[in-house]
Amino acid sequence: MTRRQASLLPEVALESWAATLRPPARTAVRRFERRAQEVSSADLLAAIAGHLDAVEEAQRSNEFIDLDMARSLAQIARQLTVRLETLPPQRRIVAAAAILYFVKSDDAEDDLSSSVGFDDDAEVLKSALRYLEP
Amino acid sequence: MGDGHYAIHCIGVSDLVRQHEAIFLTQVDRDIQPVRVEDTKLVQDTSPHYRRSRLYLESLLRQMAPTDALLWRGHRAAMQPSPYQLDPASLALSSLRPRILIADAVGLGKTLEAGVLLSELIARGRAERILVVAMKSVLAQFQKELWTRFSIPLMRLDSEGLERIRQHIPAGKNPFHHYRRAIISIDTLKNEREYRHWLEECQWDAVVVDECHNAINPGTGRNRVAELLASRTEALILTSATPHNGKPESFATLMNMLEPTAVANPSSYGPEDIKGLYVRRFRKDVEKQVQGAFKQRDAQLAWADASPEEESVFDALEEARFHTLDRHVRLSRKGRARDVLFRTTLLKALLSSPLAFLETVEQRRKNLRERIASKPEAASDWRKDLETLDQLHALASAIDLPRFSKLRLFLEHTLPALGVRGKPGDPRVVIFSERLVTLELLETVLSNRLGVQRNLDAPGDGTLAVLSGSEKDTDVRAILESFGSKDGKVRVLLASDMASEGINLHYFCSRLVHFDVPWSLIRLEQRNGRIDRYGQSETPHMRFLLTRSQNGRTKADLQVVQKLLKKEEEARNNLGDEGALLGLFDAEREEDFVASTISSGKDLDEEVQALQAERAGAEAEDALSANWLLDLLAHSTETTSTERLTAEPPSLYPSDAAFFREALEHLEPELKDSGQPIQLTWHPQRDEVTFRAPDDLQRRFSSMPPQARPREGRLHLSADPKAVERAITESRDRQGSWPELQYLWSQHPAVEWAADRVSLSFGRLEAPVLVIPSLQERLEVDAVALVEGTLTNRRAQPAVTRWMGLGTKLGKQLEVARIIGLEEVLELAGLRGKVANPGLSAQLLTSLEAARPLWRETTEAEMRRLRSERMASIKGEVRQAEERSSKWAQSRLDAIEEARQRLGAQGTSGLARRRRERLDREEAQVLERKKERHTWIQQTLSTDERAHVKLIAVLVAR
């Protein structure tokens, strides 16, 4: 972690990460500012499981939903949730925001009714992982 | 609903209730029972040769909607289709949504191409509600073509039609709700606010917008109508021979009407964005396919030697200098300013007629006098010009009729050479002029010389008629019907350019005179296209009249015009797209170009080169050039001629006529018993029949145009397309009427009626059992259950329909041994020929009944397999379509974001705030549109995993 990053307030860190995303994702992520700081790991795990269930249900009547992609992303999100406890506040907020974005259905692309529904979630999660790298 | 009760919301799937929505409450509607295949009652059919079952099966086969992109019936309409005419339908059906621009050149048969696509949509149950929007001059023509060749009835909502309709439906009621299939003029729609309100209330399955280039300009009434309709229909067919006016933004408007997420930035897009949305072919590309449908034209230029009085005017024009009346034009955004001298404008007027010249001069004189009176102090230049004009006026006034050289040429040589001598039996001729005052002069002169008379009360009954653009639509129709029928009274037609777009004059006319020559290639071609088009059976004769002068200046000027005519010929033979030759794509700009060339005294070829260089230079600077679009549209789109485009619908009968015949024979006794004898008469050698239409069939015609209805309750049908075409041609001999002989094919209301009647032979939950002994040895099974499995999308439309035969072994080892395709079943069971009916034992029925649950399971499993097969094959396409629209949205959102950033710097002024609000609205619109697109894709393409299964019939060995 660079010295510069270490001194950032969580809100500022979130904003600086959000600025690297595309407009619709960026706007959505900003809205999670408060929740991302308050949500617990347990809540997130539950949300991930719930979202995956919803996707599986939707896939029964819509064969174009990319269930495989959803499952992979859920896996990544779960791993990230486990890491949450080890992160300082200004990085935890970014991770939590990315996971919250995944579990929300009607983000930039509708997860529950589009064949490209998870493209944006993948982008956001990957971007978060990159941000958390060093 | 609580208490164990439910509200069941249903959308109709089967034919009778298709698309209807209903809600049933278990609390109130007590008899709700789900339809279960295992409850299907197996019944005997005791009719000789199983006729009842065969007709029943056939009717169900006819109800089956094709779910592929092949043509199942459009090509079998009453026409001789050339392969190129099937391409637009094929392309539209292959796309996710049937929306297409048919941009074929003038006279290639766009109406027929639209009819083919509409027929395919009807076969798929996707064209219940149709609206055709066209220019008022072609409404009747379009309506007749679609009925006589395709059996598609459109109620004509022109002023006469609306009057009739108003008598039938209550005031204030939406006529579009009442008439599911209608044709109306775009100008009627744009003019009346009432219509807009009604349009907003409706949804259509298919909308056709003819000559859509008239609806391109944003903000115009026509454009608003077109955009509104485009958003309220599933299928959209646009037609235009001139879709490109030089501005890529305009073409993008059309593309976005077809697919709102096609072009994100109308000033900058590429071929990939518009691929698959249009077809464009030129005559030279399809001529090979259509032997004899286009005739070689006989075009001649005729010169009239100017009289001395005319020469005086030419001489005076050469000297004339105007100080205040010249114009400056710019042909493109970055083009240089060009001068159009007023004397060139006057030259053009004189080349039309002396009266036109005097009219133009007088207009200017009046204008100048007003100015001089209002500001006498500053009037010296105006006075000089007025003086010049006065001189010219005096000179031109001396040109009386005998001294109007072109008129003499016209009367003494041109008309007689064309065979027009003022005698009955003269060939018909259409004469064009750009100036109304010239047309008026011609009317007077021709009345005197040839004895032809205009009839102001009944324009179709005169021997002369005028189309100036200001006639009522009913008058236009009367004139066109008269001119286009063998014995119609109108023999001489005087027309202006405004009035003549798109109309067919070629039925009984092959002579055209350009009394003045338009200075635009596009206008020239438009005029010529009225008689030189697909289906013209005679050689078209065109004559161009020009005045020849000894004056050096005038000679040079006229050389430009002569070269222009040469270029038109060049364009026809080589390029195919006249608009592309000058690259201006707009008739007025072309005229300005020619006028400025004449004014400058330069040579036409040199100026064309200079123009092209100018464009090339502008393009090099300007990255957003339109050159690629010009090039693209100057060439034909490729045709998929190597692939098979058509398919044979599965059928138990060799032809529609054979089915119809057997159906009528079957229905005859019951109709007679109910007091409605049909008095059937079949022609002994041909597939031709007359019969009395029973009441329920006549009722089907009540919402159709009156000319389509049975005459005195009788219908006369023929299955021979050639006979029908002959009848159509002959009907032109009898002005205004539609042929009595109608086309017998699957789409004719009578054939549909017959199929509907015999489909009631067995009840909803009944299936006939047929004994086919040969099943045992041919297929090694005891029985074959003929089932239909349907997967529907979320809009209750069939996405996959499959008939299959379940080869079953009965008895203790009950199993489905094999699944057999429909064709094989029909063949092997011999259902296409005469089938013996030996009767059935009750025991057999019982053992068959035991197999029903197995049949249901097997069908459902098979449909699940088909579902995942289908999914695998279209997944890529669906993803691509959604990615495309996401990309579009992303691109728009990026642009909006950029605009926001720029605004950010501007603070919080009222203007900035309003702009921000507008950006917010745009953003919301983009997201809305993207969502709509994705929702549409999902709802239309994704299927519910539960298939609908119907047990149709059971074939049993013994």
Side-chain angles (χ1 to χ4, degrees):
Chain A
M1 191 163 56
T2 69
R3 204 173 325 206
R4 195 164 165 281
Q5 273 185 355
S7 60
L8 288 177
L9 284 177
E11 298 83 21
V12 178
L14 182 67
E15 180 54 40
S16 77
W17 171 64
T20 65
L21 300 171
R22 309 252 241 163
R26 186 191 312 164
T27 324
V29 155
R30 279 178 185 146
R31 282 201 277 267
F32 294 135
E33 189 191 285
R34 164 141 289 176
R35 265 202 83 202
Q37 298 192 64
E38 295 169 349
V39 72
S40 72
S41 306
D43 283 342
L44 283 176
L45 284 175
I48 294 168
H51 189 58
L52 198 53
D53 279 344
V55 173
E56 281 172 358
E57 174 65 39
Q59 210 256 3
R60 288 190 65 213
S61 54
N62 182 347
E63 61 265 54
F64 299 111
I65 290 177
D66 197 341
L67 192 51
D68 289 334
M69 167 90 105
R71 286 189 179 130
S72 316
L73 291 179
Q75 173 92 311
I76 295 174
R78 273 195 292 270
Q79 289 166 350
L80 197 50
T81 311
V82 163
R83 267 178 77 186
L84 270 184
E85 304 313 321
T86 69
L87 295 172
Q90 58 271 68
R91 302 177 76 201
R92 184 185 188 281
I93 191 177
V94 169
I99 299 166
L100 285 171
Y101 185 89
F102 169 61
V103 302
K104 191 166 193 320
S105 314
D106 57 345
D107 36 43
E109 300 287 355
D110 192 338
D111 292 350
L112 295 183
S113 67
S114 164
S115 68
V116 298
F118 293 103
D119 286 5
D120 59 325
D121 301 277
E123 250 189 68
V124 168
L125 278 171
K126 277 194 284 200
S127 166
L129 288 173
R130 270 199 308 273
Y131 183 88
L132 296 171
E133 256 331 279
Chain B
M1 303 288 295
D3 266 4
H5 283 289
Y6 296 89
I8 307 173
H9 185 168
C10 309
I11 299 181
V13 167
S14 71
D15 220 46
L16 220 55
V17 294
R18 204 198 304 274
Q19 300 286 336
H20 282 267
E21 295 187 23
I23 296 187
F24 300 98
L25 303 171
T26 56
Q27 233 162 352
V28 176
D29 303 298
R30 310 246 168 95
D31 295 332
I32 298 177
Q33 278 168 6
V35 165
R36 302 191 321 153
V37 171
E38 39 267 79
D39 296 333
T40 313
K41 188 153 165 258
L42 301 179
V43 295
Q44 270 213 57
D45 173 8
T46 51
S47 64
H49 301 290
Y50 287 125
R51 183 166 72 180
R52 202 171 133 212
S53 297
R54 290 179 65 235
L55 286 172
Y56 174 69
L57 285 181
E58 180 72 12
S59 72
L60 292 185
L61 281 175
R62 278 160 186 269
Q63 279 175 21
M64 189 167 72
T67 49
D68 57 19
L70 297 173
L71 302 187
W72 286 51
R73 61 164 74 160
H75 58 294
R76 269 125 133 261
M79 57 187 269
Q80 319 285 334
S82 304
Y84 81 90
Q85 288 175 321
L86 304 181
D87 286 331
S90 200
L91 181 61
L93 293 172
S94 318
S95 317
L96 285 185
R97 213 157 57 140
R99 289 166 82 103
I100 189 170
L101 164 65
I102 304 181
D104 291 339
V106 166
L108 257 61
K110 291 188 282 293
T111 311
L112 296 179
E113 292 171 346
V116 171
L117 178 51
L118 285 174
S119 300
E120 290 300 320
L121 292 175
I122 290 175
R124 289 161 172 75
R126 311 260 178 131
E128 276 304 298
R129 290 176 52 76
I130 303 176
L131 183 66
V132 174
V133 175
M135 303 301 282
K136 72 181 179 192
S137 50
V138 302
L139 291 186
Q141 167 185 310
F142 220 111
Q143 185 199 29
K144 187 173 172 181
E145 286 279 289
L146 283 186
W147 171 256
T148 50
R149 295 184 191 278
F150 298 95
S151 312
I152 301 177
L154 300 172
M155 281 308 257
R156 196 178 65 233
L157 301 180
D158 60 10
S159 50
E160 193 182 284
L162 279 167
E163 254 322 295
R164 228 183 304 123
I165 284 164
R166 283 199 183 108
Q167 292 167 15
H168 284 127
I169 66 178
K173 192 152 159 67
N174 187 336
F176 300 109
H177 276 163
H178 198 71
Y179 292 103
R180 316 172 294 144
R181 292 175 175 176
I183 180 168
I184 193 169
S185 129
I186 192 166
D187 289 326
T188 306
L189 286 178
K190 84 167 199 266
N191 286 337
E192 314 244 353
R193 212 174 307 164
E194 231 187 342
Y195 284 109
R196 192 183 172 86
H197 172 65
W198 285 331
L199 289 185
E200 283 168 356
E201 287 182 344
C202 289
Q203 290 279 338
W204 279 275
D205 297 309
V207 166
V208 179
V209 181
D210 194 40
E211 309 286 6
C212 60
H213 54 272
N214 288 322
I216 283 186
N217 294 327
T220 59
R222 285 177 180 167
N223 175 258
R224 279 200 298 271
V225 168
E227 296 276 4
L228 176 60
L229 289 174
S231 70
R232 283 189 143 54
T233 177
E234 186 63 18
L236 180 62
I237 306 173
L238 304 177
T239 77
S240 169
T242 54
H244 186 24
N245 67 2
K247 291 196 285 246
E249 291 82 355
S250 303
F251 194 72
T253 308
L254 291 178
M255 295 294 101
N256 281 342
M257 254 188 234
L258 293 170
E259 179 39 67
T261 61
V263 175
N265 181 349
S267 310
S268 162
Y269 59 99
E272 279 314 299
D273 297 314
I274 59 178
K275 192 163 161 190
L277 288 176
Y278 73 101
V279 287
R280 184 150 169 82
R281 277 78 58 87
F282 300 102
R283 204 134 111 167
K284 60 181 169 70
D285 303 304
V286 302
E287 249 162 350
K288 287 192 272 306
Q289 288 183 23
V290 279
Q291 254 81 356
F294 294 110
K295 292 272 183 199
Q296 189 72 325
R297 57 159 76 157
D298 160 38
Q300 293 177 26
L301 188 43
W303 292 98
D305 287 312
S307 64
E309 289 73 13
E310 288 172 322
E311 292 285 14
S312 324
V313 182
F314 285 130
D315 288 335
L317 273 181
E318 182 179 14
E319 300 300 324
R321 296 283 174 276
F322 292 97
H323 303 274
T324 66
L325 297 176
D326 298 332
R327 279 196 301 142
H328 305 288
V329 296
R330 222 182 258 282
L331 296 174
S332 62
R333 260 177 311 180
K334 302 217 170 143
R336 63 174 169 85
R338 292 158 188 271
D339 293 327
V340 175
L341 302 177
F342 189 60
R343 68 155 196 254
T344 307
T345 309
L346 286 177
L347 174 68
K348 189 156 190 265
L350 184 59
L351 288 176
S352 178
S353 70
L355 287 184
F357 182 85
L358 288 171
E359 185 186 65
T360 306
V361 167
E362 183 52 38
Q363 257 171 20
R364 285 316 154 103
R365 287 206 301 184
K366 193 161 153 252
N367 188 273
L368 285 174
R369 282 189 210 114
E370 279 167 20
R371 287 202 201 168
I372 291 171
S374 71
K375 252 202 188 160
E377 354 50 89
S380 83
D381 278 348
W382 292 330
R383 287 208 182 87
K384 286 188 201 141
D385 283 348
L386 185 58
E387 213 181 287
T388 316
L389 287 179
D390 285 339
Q391 269 178 0
L392 289 168
H393 193 278
L395 286 173
S397 303
I399 309 175
D400 54 5
L401 292 187
R403 292 174 177 82
F404 181 8
S405 59
K406 198 167 61 162
L407 184 63
R408 289 187 55 189
L409 173 75
F410 177 61
L411 294 173
E412 287 164 22
H413 296 281
T414 316
L415 285 183
L418 288 175
V420 179
R421 285 164 215 280
K423 302 220 180 344
D426 272 356
R428 284 200 169 92
V429 62
V430 54
I431 302 159
F432 274 98
S433 167
E434 341 183 87
R435 300 290 301 259
L436 292 181
V437 68
T438 306
L439 287 181
E440 279 164 21
L441 169 65
L442 286 172
E443 184 191 334
T444 313
V445 166
L446 290 174
S447 297
N448 292 336
R449 275 293 279 247
L450 297 180
V452 287
Q453 291 300 332
R454 191 174 174 189
N455 184 328
L456 288 168
D457 299 312
D461 288 342
T463 39
L464 172 100
V466 180
L467 284 178
S468 62
S470 60
E471 291 79 22
K472 285 200 316 237
D473 53 3
T474 42
D475 289 345
V476 171
R477 206 178 73 237
I479 292 171
L480 290 179
E481 267 170 17
S482 177
F483 195 70
S485 70
K486 183 147 169 255
D487 295 330
K489 298 213 180 79
V490 178
R491 314 297 304 174
V492 176
L493 181 62
L494 296 171
S496 75
D497 289 301
M498 290 309 121
S500 57
E501 194 174 61
I503 58 179
N504 289 340
L505 298 177
H506 65 294
Y507 299 123
F508 289 97
C509 176
S510 56
R511 286 157 176 75
L512 188 156
V513 178
H514 297 270
F515 194 77
D516 47 48
V517 174
W519 289 1
S520 150
L521 293 177
I522 291 173
R523 285 236 163 88
L524 269 172
E525 193 47 34
Q526 261 300 338
R527 286 186 183 183
N528 288 337
R530 295 313 102 225
I531 64 167
D532 186 6
R533 51 196 302 123
Y534 185 86
Q536 169 60 277
S537 52
E538 303 286 325
T539 303
H541 302 279
M542 280 97 160
R543 297 289 178 271
F544 303 87
L545 303 187
L546 283 178
T547 314
R548 179 158 48 200
S549 163
Q550 295 304 318
N551 176 294
R553 182 70 230 224
T554 313
K555 258 197 197 145
D557 292 347
L558 284 166
Q559 258 201 2
V560 173
V561 180
Q562 208 179 347
K563 280 208 172 151
L564 188 71
L565 288 176
K566 261 233 164 52
K567 284 214 175 300
E568 194 257 338
E569 210 182 293
E570 226 180 78
R572 283 181 45 73
N573 297 333
N574 301 333
L575 207 54
D577 182 359
E578 290 74 25
L581 196 63
L582 293 178
L584 294 170
F585 296 101
D586 177 87
E588 263 151 40
R589 267 184 289 189
E590 286 186 335
E591 291 189 343
D592 283 342
F593 170 68
V594 173
S596 66
T597 303
I598 290 180
S599 293
S600 68
K602 299 207 179 106
D603 169 69
L604 182 68
D605 290 320
E606 273 171 37
E607 279 297 278
V608 171
Q609 275 179 10
L611 182 66
Q612 284 169 350
E614 193 178 281
R615 268 208 347 258
E619 280 145 21
E621 284 172 28
D622 181 3
L624 308 177
S625 81
N627 202 25
W628 68 271
L629 185 58
L630 245 111
D631 273 340
L632 189 65
L633 291 179
H635 295 93
S636 294
T637 47
E638 270 167 38
T639 51
T640 51
S641 51
T642 47
E643 282 172 45
R644 187 174 59 101
L645 291 182
T646 62
E648 278 294 311
S651 172
L652 270 60
Y653 294 87
S655 67
D656 288 326
F659 162 67
F660 193 55
R661 187 171 189 143
E662 189 150 311
L664 283 183
E665 273 170 25
H666 181 76
L667 293 170
E668 193 169 11
E670 82 185 61
L671 286 171
K672 189 148 159 212
D673 288 342
S674 66
Q676 304 217 36
I678 53 177
Q679 296 157 2
L680 194 55
T681 317
W682 279 91
H683 192 282
Q685 285 114 14
R686 303 196 290 257
D687 284 334
E688 197 178 309
V689 62
T690 54
F691 64 102
R692 201 193 132 273
D695 290 348
D696 58 342
L697 175 54
Q698 292 214 30
R699 271 197 294 277
R700 291 186 181 212
F701 281 94
S702 64
S703 63
M704 299 192 196
Q707 306 100 306
R709 292 183 198 153
R711 315 278 164 100
E712 285 160 29
R714 294 186 71 78
L715 279 173
H716 181 193
L717 308 177
S718 163
D720 177 8
K722 292 211 177 82
V724 174
E725 278 197 299
R726 270 198 304 275
I728 294 172
T729 312
E730 277 162 19
S731 77
R732 294 197 193 114
D733 295 356
R734 291 179 314 281
Q735 177 178 331
S737 61
W738 290 11
E740 186 231 358
L741 182 66
Q742 299 185 2
Y743 186 43
L744 197 174
W745 69 315
S746 51
Q747 207 155 272
H748 189 278
V751 178
E752 288 180 346
W753 162 84
D756 286 344
R757 288 285 299 233
V758 299
S759 75
L760 300 173
S761 299
F762 295 97
R764 187 168 304 278
L765 264 188
E766 287 181 345
V769 179
L770 288 73
V771 176
I772 315 278
S774 57
L775 277 183
Q776 186 58 263
E777 61 169 278
R778 284 182 177 172
L779 292 171
E780 294 172 1
V781 293
D782 301 318
V784 174
L786 196 52
V787 293
E788 182 192 56
T790 312
L791 290 172
T792 52
N793 64 16
R794 300 211 255 162
R795 299 160 67 197
Q797 294 163 333
V800 178
T801 309
R802 189 64 70 94
W803 279 40
M804 43 193 142
L806 307 179
T808 314
K809 290 200 158 88
L810 298 171
K812 284 221 173 57
Q813 311 277 12
L814 181 64
E815 66 159 341
V816 173
R818 35 190 300 219
I819 298 182
I820 312 160
L822 173 61
E823 262 309 305
E824 218 187 316
V825 172
L826 295 181
E827 267 311 303
L828 292 179
L831 287 173
R832 289 206 167 99
K834 279 219 175 315
V835 190
N837 184 347
L840 189 59
S841 75
Q843 238 180 354
L844 201 42
L845 275 181
T846 320
S847 64
L848 288 175
E849 281 166 4
R852 289 174 304 186
L854 175 62
W855 287 333
R856 179 179 55 77
E857 275 163 32
T858 316
T859 313
E860 285 176 346
E862 181 65 12
M863 294 309 291
R864 275 197 295 274
R865 190 186 66 81
L866 285 176
R867 181 177 184 251
S868 50
E869 236 180 49
R870 174 179 176 271
M871 207 260 280
S873 77
I874 66 175
K875 201 150 94 153
E877 216 182 311
V878 169
R879 215 191 143 75
Q880 235 183 44
E882 290 192 323
E883 273 171 6
R884 207 163 139 174
S885 88
S886 288
K887 204 174 95 165
W888 168 85
Q890 196 56 63
S891 159
R892 293 288 310 274
L893 290 174
D894 285 343
I896 291 174
E897 190 56 29
E898 259 175 67
R900 276 213 186 98
Q901 307 239 349
R902 282 199 302 269
L903 258 191
Q906 285 182 30
T908 53
S909 68
L911 183 61
R913 195 179 55 240
R914 273 199 299 281
R915 285 200 179 133
R916 269 195 208 100
E917 279 166 16
R918 214 184 57 210
L919 286 176
D920 288 341
R921 274 201 303 274
E922 265 185 55
E923 182 180 40
Q925 251 179 23
V926 169
L927 292 172
E928 180 64 38
R929 198 158 258 182
K930 184 179 83 159
K931 185 148 180 250
E932 264 171 27
R933 177 85 174 126
H934 284 213
T935 308
W936 182 89
I937 292 175
Q938 296 298 318
Q939 291 212 319
T940 307
L941 296 178
S942 73
T943 54
D944 194 290
E945 64 176 8
R946 296 158 298 182
H948 173 71
V949 176
K950 184 176 158 86
L951 178 58
I952 308 227
V954 181
L955 315 173
V956 68
R958 239 320 167 191

